[in-house]
Amino acid sequence: MAEAVEGRAPFQVLVLPYRQTEEGLLYALFRRSDGAYWQGVAGGGEAGEAPLQAARREVAEEAGLAGAFEFIELDARATIPVVHVTGEFTWGPDALVIPEYTFGVQVDDPEFTLSSEHTEYGWFAIDAAMAAVQWDSNRTALWELDHRLRRDRPVKHS
């Protein structure tokens, strides 16, 4: 695996906030300001961060979720072309793809404080969320998270 350069670690994270309501499970999706598509909170790791640390930082920066939230580490993984993430071969000519690690995070408050990376957010039932997201990796992570939550045996990380 490539090593961090210029403060950037060679991986991405995807975080899916969720909450239980009287109507059932809902998942938060965010509309990107640079592409107008829906996805979970996504971002790159920083040098020295583990994926869970990056996930915590990204949800704090992009959604205003700071504090002791319970994260579920998902098994869903994807690889993303480096040039689709950074626009160049950031970690050299042989580092062509980087991994994307996925997490769920339970929230009680349905309101977020958005960064400039997003224009809006919405709460979606699973079928609507699966239809709304652009990337297959988001659909896979949503499916896994939904399945784990309905089965009620998630692997939790505090």
Side-chain angles (χ1 to χ4, degrees):
M1 181 178 208
E3 294 187 28
V5 295
E6 298 178 25
R8 181 83 193 251
F11 67 85
Q12 288 284 105
V13 295
L14 172 68
V15 184
L16 299 166
Y18 67 91
R19 64 189 177 100
Q20 181 68 52
T21 69
E22 290 181 11
E23 295 80 36
L25 286 165
L26 296 178
Y27 300 91
L29 298 177
F30 302 80
R31 188 182 295 274
R32 295 283 308 184
S33 57
D34 60 356
Y37 55 85
W38 292 97
Q39 67 178 48
V41 171
E46 292 182 356
E49 278 185 324
L52 180 57
Q53 292 171 307
R56 289 185 181 283
R57 179 183 48 75
E58 287 292 339
V59 297
E61 291 174 1
E62 294 186 21
L65 295 176
F69 289 92
E70 191 172 275
F71 283 70
I72 299 171
E73 183 174 354
L74 301 174
D75 292 331
R77 298 282 188 275
T79 52
I80 304 168
V82 170
V83 295
H84 291 179
V85 175
T86 65
E88 59 189 3
F89 292 100
T90 304
W91 297 278
D94 293 326
L96 302 179
V97 297
I98 57 173
E100 176 184 67
Y101 298 96
T102 58
F103 301 87
V105 61
Q106 183 174 6
V107 300
D108 295 320
D109 187 349
E111 303 295 321
F112 296 107
T113 303
L114 296 181
S115 72
S116 61
E117 292 187 39
H118 302 96
T119 58
E120 63 181 311
Y121 65 90
W123 287 97
F124 298 77
I126 187 63
D127 290 341
M130 297 282 272
V133 294
Q134 176 167 333
W135 308 109
D136 286 339
S137 67
N138 284 224
R139 273 186 282 287
T140 301
L142 277 163
W143 179 89
E144 180 188 350
L145 179 59
D146 188 70
H147 185 77
R148 286 181 180 278
L149 294 172
R150 290 179 194 283
R151 190 179 66 181
D152 199 30
R153 291 187 294 170
V155 177
K156 298 177 181 178
H157 296 273
S158 297

